[in-house]
Amino acid sequence: MLSNAAMSSQLEVQQLEKQNRVLHKKLERAEVTNLELEATTQKKETLLRQVILELRDSQATLESQSRELEQTCLDLQQAQIQLVQAEKMSSLGQLVAGVAHEINNPVNFIHGNIRHLETYLQDLLEFLALYESHYPQPVDEIRQAAEDLEIAYIKDDLTKILPSMSMGTERIRDIVLSLRNFSRMDEAECKAVNIHDGIESTLLILQHRLKSQSERPTIEVVREFAAMPPVECFAGQLNQVFMNIISNAIDALETSLKKNPKVQKAPKIVLRTEAYADNIVISITDNGMGMPAAVKDRIFDPFFTTKPVGKGTGMGMAISYQLVVEKHSGKIVCHSEEGIGTGFVITLPIRLKP
Amino acid sequence: MLKLAVGHSNDPDSLAAITEVLAQLRSQLSGQLPNAGLLFAAIDFEYAQILQKIDEAFPGIELIGGTTEGEMSSELGFEQDSLTLMVFCSKTITISAGIGRNVAQDAVAAATSAVRQAQAHHADNIQFCLTFPESLTISNEIILESLESALGKKIPVFGGLTAGQHPSKQTYQFCKTEVCRNSVPILLFSGPIQFSHGVANGWHPIGKAGQVTKATHNVVYEIDNRPALSFYHHYLGALPPTSEYPLALLDAESERHYMRAPSGIYDETIGSITFFGSVPEGAVVQITEASHDDILAASSQSVQQAIDSYPGKSPDAALFFSCVGRRQLLGSRTKEEHALAQQQLGETLPSCGFYTNGEISPLQDEGSPRIHNETFVTLLIGEA
């Protein structure tokens, strides 16, 4: 018979033996589990890395899709501008051409008759002179009438009035010709033209804006024209470009003078042309206030304008860009420096490829 | 009156372990003799000796069970290399065991044989079936389909595929005093018993989807016309595919994702991977992953589903069938899975379960039984 103490110590030994077995087994198991967990962690890492790579890929795909969409959106905006522009140009051109035609006939009528009028007057004056030489002492009534009518002055002034009228009708004829040039309704297709004619027409139309105003002096236009071959182009469209750039230049000069009334700077627009083997370069530069880079960078963006609401559409330069780059396979670049001025350089091929 | 008792020992010595378990059971049973039992044992025990001891203690016990990759119970919580036995005592509920052998060779014959043996004892309609089949030598769907047709469509089947130490080389099934391989043991319940279950996994699809272009039953040869292995290597690097990174497949019937885990068997030369459960050709698959918190949240969800759908007042016991892949990812947090479930159900409720190579239960209450992977199945049972 075992004593109680012996029994409990035997039980204790059994307990310890069991604990030993369990611990031993747990240690073995822990090693296996550890290896399993290491492998699992490694797999999870690889999996997550791979998924991140795939996400990056799909992000890149999304970005490129979004760029494509942006481009499509830009293209659509351009197409819209083009349509609006085409419509506007078409109706404006018709109007201008119509007005020019209507004015042309009566002006020609006047201009044509001025020569006859001159001949008749000359004849009348000669006749009067002959009369005076044969009757040096007219009757009192005639002498009195000649004095009252200031015949001597009339004879003198008549010779001046007629050339002045002739010059006036000449001017009207020039303006009408410029309007027709500008609208070029008769030249909707591509033709080889003298670019200088287009520039001159534009200047003539803008003449009233270049002249001195109450608050500012005349804007000087400097022409540095080179000998120019005929350039194949849609002349009406290029005239529109010159118009946009020059009128912007005038706006810039006016703003500059208004903002800095104390600065003594004579407002000036320099028009310069150069001809090369395959292309020509037209640069239009003003000595206005220039633009900050942020404005310059967006100058060709559709609907971008720095003018007050209602003043500018923000379409002028966008249209110009499109007309030069897309319609004429040319280039248009803007240079600007704040306080110095702004210049546009247009490069056009002499021969327009279809 | 349904009385349940649970014993659990982590003693690696087979005799010491079963002696301890039987002592625990006797103290809970206070003289009652159980008529049925479930035995879940780790891979290194002397099973024949253990089964012999159980039969000596409880003569004629209708017992089934199998080898596992981790055991859990209300006695010890989660353990590895342990032995747990749950027993049922009832004068009114009929519980009977059956086993079908050579299931890989003829699953239909095996299932029919098992059902015939077990059904002989039942006068009433069968309420549900528990099963712990072999998992490695045959596509498990075939076992399940055979069982379903032998039992009749209406009978819910629960359980788990027997497991062994990873990578699994061998699993064993138990029926009464017999230790089997390549078999399908079943336990049928009839009489005044009620039950409910919950199913959840917590895994999420991640990465690009692929389409299975060549597969036979549970062996996938090609995904997107390339070797299946390269699909795995793309995401997991050079390491072999294992069960904790299953594929998600979309179930046409329920429009829910279900999991198919690699069994650890693969062929490097042709690039095929064997799964626990079949993968149909044309299935769109995606690799999945889960965090510890996702996994544990799903366990709770499974328990809650079972609690919410339990038809009676309160259950008398809980059974848990959890996936080896869950254990593998959870590592030292595996014990939280059982602890959470036990906490939700009340600390005194007898519970028992194991880590399986594939969990068996219907998705919805009336649906066909399915093999799940990476899933936590909760089964609550009680007297009606």
Side-chain angles (χ1 to χ4, degrees):
Chain A
M1 276 296 275
L2 288 166
S3 69
N4 274 354
M7 270 176 71
S8 89
S9 103
Q10 194 185 349
L11 213 62
E12 216 166 282
V13 169
Q14 277 174 2
Q15 282 290 327
L16 284 173
E17 275 174 357
K18 182 198 162 186
Q19 275 173 20
N20 190 35
R21 285 196 298 270
V22 171
L23 284 174
H24 193 73
K25 194 74 184 177
K26 279 198 188 293
L27 189 66
E28 260 176 48
R29 175 59 75 173
E31 278 167 16
V32 174
T33 308
N34 210 11
L35 288 176
E36 276 177 4
L37 279 176
E38 274 173 23
T40 288
T41 308
Q42 201 180 329
K43 280 174 201 161
K44 177 152 271 186
E45 239 182 64
T46 318
L47 173 64
L48 292 183
R49 204 169 292 146
Q50 188 58 40
V51 169
I52 288 167
L53 278 179
E54 285 175 2
L55 282 177
R56 253 184 233 160
D57 274 2
S58 69
Q59 194 183 2
T61 313
L62 280 177
E63 273 168 14
S64 94
Q65 275 174 352
S66 129
R67 271 196 298 275
E68 275 169 34
L69 277 176
E70 264 172 42
Q71 188 53 50
T72 308
C73 190
L74 279 179
D75 290 349
L76 281 172
Q77 267 181 356
Q78 294 290 344
Q80 189 191 15
I81 294 164
Q82 207 172 328
L83 281 171
V84 170
Q85 169 62 9
E87 187 56 36
K88 259 201 224 163
M89 282 305 279
S90 160
S91 40
L92 181 66
Q94 277 169 5
L95 181 72
V96 169
V99 169
H101 179 78
E102 291 305 325
I103 293 173
N104 206 32
N105 278 343
V107 165
N108 276 341
F109 185 73
I110 296 168
H111 188 75
N113 284 332
I114 282 177
R115 206 177 302 151
H116 299 299
L117 184 64
E118 205 176 358
T119 316
Y120 297 160
L121 277 173
Q122 204 55 50
D123 291 349
L124 277 175
L125 285 174
E126 278 170 17
F127 182 73
L128 187 62
L130 188 67
Y131 186 83
E132 279 173 347
S133 69
H134 288 286
Y135 298 96
Q137 295 300 322
V139 292
D140 279 354
E141 200 179 348
I142 287 174
R143 191 181 42 82
Q144 190 57 49
E147 255 171 47
D148 289 349
L149 292 171
E150 296 182 82
I151 292 298
Y153 172 76
I154 288 175
K155 280 198 290 190
D156 184 49
D157 202 40
L158 258 181
T159 54
K160 290 176 191 164
I161 284 175
L162 278 173
S164 148
M165 283 173 70
S166 182
M167 207 169 76
T169 53
E170 203 69 59
R171 278 281 297 282
I172 294 173
R173 276 158 54 108
D174 281 352
I175 289 169
V176 167
L177 186 65
S178 291
L179 284 173
R180 292 178 63 177
N181 249 345
F182 183 78
S183 70
R184 287 284 170 173
M185 284 305 289
D186 47 341
E187 288 179 19
E189 80 270 47
C190 180
K191 266 187 186 170
V193 302
N194 181 354
I195 287 290
H196 292 154
D197 287 350
I199 297 174
E200 291 298 349
S201 295
T202 308
L203 286 173
L204 193 62
I205 288 166
L206 289 171
Q207 195 56 47
H208 69 287
R209 294 205 53 202
L210 293 166
K211 275 193 280 192
S212 66
Q213 320 264 316
S214 56
E215 71 276 24
R216 63 157 174 84
T218 303
I219 294 169
E220 186 192 357
V221 175
V222 181
R223 295 170 177 76
E224 295 176 0
F225 288 171
M228 189 68 50
V231 175
E232 282 181 12
C233 64
F234 298 93
Q237 292 177 0
L238 282 188
N239 291 344
Q240 173 79 5
V241 173
F242 301 146
M243 177 80 158
N244 285 332
I245 296 174
I246 296 171
S247 59
N248 275 353
I250 296 169
D251 289 340
L253 290 169
E254 281 180 345
T255 314
S256 167
L257 288 166
K258 209 176 283 176
K259 280 196 177 170
N260 309 297
K262 285 177 190 155
V263 178
Q264 294 293 314
K265 193 156 82 171
K268 189 164 76 171
I269 295 173
V270 179
L271 303 165
R272 183 181 167 81
T273 59
E274 297 156 63
Y276 299 95
D278 297 321
N279 49 40
I280 59 141
V281 176
I282 305 151
S283 55
I284 301 167
T285 314
D286 67 60
N287 63 346
M289 54 201 259
M291 302 179 265
V295 174
K296 197 199 85 175
D297 290 346
R298 297 193 57 196
I299 191 88
F300 297 117
D301 285 0
F303 307 109
F304 176 77
T305 180
T306 56
K307 292 176 188 170
V309 178
K311 278 276 181 181
T313 58
M315 298 297 279
M317 292 317 298
I319 290 166
S320 301
Y321 183 87
Q322 192 201 8
L323 293 178
V324 170
V325 174
E326 283 169 35
K327 294 283 181 186
H328 289 90
S329 311
K331 277 190 284 191
I332 179 165
V333 183
C334 174
H335 305 283
S336 189
E337 208 171 318
E338 275 189 276
I340 305 289
T342 302
F344 287 88
V345 178
I346 301 166
T347 309
L348 294 171
I350 291 171
R351 239 168 275 284
L352 193 57
K353 287 187 191 91
Chain B
M1 175 71 189
L2 175 65
K3 168 81 182 169
L4 285 113
V6 183
H8 196 167
S9 170
N10 58 6
D11 197 326
D13 181 80
S14 299
L15 191 58
I18 191 59
T19 306
E20 192 181 359
V21 165
L22 290 172
Q24 290 166 3
L25 291 174
R26 279 199 196 93
S27 79
Q28 293 169 43
L29 289 170
S30 49
Q32 286 189 72
L33 265 191
N35 37 352
L38 302 171
L39 175 69
F40 305 126
I43 202 75
D44 284 338
F45 286 104
E46 297 294 331
Y47 313 119
Q49 187 184 24
I50 290 165
L51 292 173
Q52 199 58 49
K53 286 284 166 198
I54 297 170
D55 198 58
E56 279 169 20
F58 309 127
I61 187 167
E62 297 285 319
L63 177 136
I64 65 165
T67 52
T68 71
E69 274 245 49
E71 307 75 39
M72 51 190 142
S73 78
S74 43
E75 283 296 305
L76 286 188
F78 166 72
E79 282 290 331
Q80 277 176 290
D81 304 300
S82 73
L83 186 73
T84 182
L85 176 60
M86 175 179 256
V87 293
F88 304 76
C89 308
S90 175
K91 299 252 185 294
T92 51
I93 298 165
T94 310
I95 310 171
S96 62
I99 189 161
R101 296 170 188 84
N102 298 321
V103 68
Q105 287 72 28
D106 191 344
V108 175
T112 312
S113 156
V115 170
R116 195 175 300 143
Q117 290 163 47
Q119 235 168 4
H121 302 81
H122 293 266
D124 298 327
N125 287 338
I126 304 296
Q127 299 276 8
F128 65 92
C129 169
L130 292 182
T131 185
F132 310 109
E134 146 67 13
S135 59
L136 300 172
T137 52
I138 178 175
S139 172
N140 306 298
E141 259 84 5
I142 297 175
I143 301 179
L144 218 53
E145 278 163 22
S146 308
L147 208 51
E148 199 184 355
S149 68
L151 284 165
K153 288 240 170 201
K154 297 272 174 184
I155 296 170
V157 181
F158 302 96
L161 302 173
T162 50
Q165 184 138 358
H166 218 75
S168 316
K169 292 280 182 272
Q170 190 69 62
T171 79
Y172 297 91
Q173 299 79 44
F174 315 134
C175 184
K176 298 174 185 172
T177 54
E178 198 180 343
V179 181
C180 292
R181 277 154 53 168
N182 189 20
S183 73
V184 48
I186 63 166
L187 201 62
L188 298 182
F189 292 75
S190 71
I193 190 163
Q194 56 192 2
F195 61 94
S196 67
H197 78 283
V199 184
N201 65 63
W203 260 252
H204 308 289
I206 192 169
K208 283 187 192 132
Q211 190 170 31
V212 175
T213 44
K214 192 180 173 197
T216 324
H217 298 303
N218 59 337
V219 182
V220 176
Y221 296 94
E222 286 175 11
I223 297 172
D224 288 338
N225 296 309
R226 296 183 59 225
L229 261 184
S230 69
F231 186 79
Y232 260 88
H233 286 331
H234 176 70
Y235 284 107
L236 300 184
L239 290 171
T242 44
S243 61
E244 73 272 27
Y245 291 102
L247 293 180
L249 284 82
L250 194 69
D251 182 63
E253 197 183 303
S254 66
E255 293 206 333
R256 277 166 63 176
H257 275 108
Y258 65 101
M259 300 292 153
R260 282 292 171 262
S263 67
I265 298 167
Y266 58 95
D267 187 331
E268 201 117 30
T269 50
I270 59 166
S272 69
I273 304 172
T274 303
F275 287 82
F276 290 129
S278 67
V279 179
E281 259 178 28
V284 173
V285 294
Q286 224 174 330
I287 220 154
T288 59
E289 66 91 37
S291 72
H292 292 173
D293 292 341
D294 295 336
I295 296 173
L296 293 172
S299 317
S300 276
Q301 193 191 334
S302 160
V303 173
Q304 198 56 48
Q305 278 174 26
I307 292 173
D308 292 346
S309 56
Y310 188 70
K313 212 171 148 206
S314 58
D316 294 315
L319 290 173
F320 305 122
F321 307 113
S322 184
C323 184
V324 291
R326 300 170 74 82
R327 200 218 70 211
Q328 208 158 326
L329 272 189
L330 284 172
S332 65
R333 290 187 69 184
T334 310
K335 58 179 181 292
E336 290 179 37
E337 186 164 64
H338 178 267
L340 275 171
Q342 190 74 55
Q343 205 183 345
Q344 254 171 295
L345 289 162
E347 298 296 342
T348 56
L349 188 80
S351 75
C352 189
F354 73 105
Y355 284 85
T356 85
N357 273 354
E359 303 70 61
I360 300 168
S361 89
L363 267 181
Q364 299 97 352
D365 286 339
E366 297 296 323
S368 299
R370 272 167 202 288
I371 301 276
H372 305 277
N373 287 141
E374 317 303 336
T375 297
F376 191 85
V377 171
T378 308
L379 178 65
L380 299 179
I381 52 179
E383 195 169 19

